[in-house]
Amino acid sequence: PEYFEAGPHPIAKAVKTAAVDIPARAPVVLNTDGKLALISVTKGGTDTAPTYTVSATGLYGIVPEAAAKDEDAVVYLTGEFFADSLTLPDNAKAADIEVELRKIGIFLK
């Protein structure tokens, strides 16, 4: 079976409105309107040697279930989760946001 939650401890939750469509198990940020948005990946470098920068500014938590734009979504604010179960944008890895997640009480295994 596929597991998402990795720890037995209670998980703090909040409810926020989605600014965009958000897939299940996605790390989210708060935009300037206080709504949920996805982390972003910026491409740099050259066409033959691209580099990618993941921006997790305003990282808020992880959405356990998909949410449509303008829909309220539950957000996990703390807890332990399996890194390989996260839904991340193309060219992003869990390691790119692991430190930022730790800062808000979310730990990856």
Side-chain angles (χ1 to χ4, degrees):
E2 185 177 319
Y3 295 103
F4 175 53
E5 296 173 24
H9 306 292
I11 298 171
K13 300 176 186 175
V15 175
K16 294 281 185 182
T17 303
V20 297
D21 290 342
I22 299 175
R25 301 179 177 180
V28 291
V29 299
L30 289 180
N31 69 10
T32 55
D33 295 330
K35 293 183 176 183
L36 300 174
L38 298 169
I39 61 174
S40 62
V41 178
T42 306
K43 183 179 177 183
T46 64
D47 288 338
T48 56
T51 59
Y52 299 95
T53 304
V54 176
S55 174
T57 302
L59 193 61
Y60 188 67
I62 298 173
V63 176
E65 296 180 8
K69 181 180 179 180
D70 295 324
E71 185 177 88
D72 284 345
V74 171
V75 184
Y76 288 165
L77 304 176
T78 61
E80 297 176 48
F81 304 92
F82 289 104
D84 60 355
S85 71
L86 296 180
T87 302
L88 299 168
D90 290 341
N91 302 306
K93 298 178 280 242
D96 296 331
I97 59 170
E98 183 176 17
V99 172
E100 293 302 313
L101 286 170
R102 282 186 196 152
K103 290 178 184 177
I104 61 171
I106 293 177
F107 301 92
L108 300 179
K109 291 187 173 202

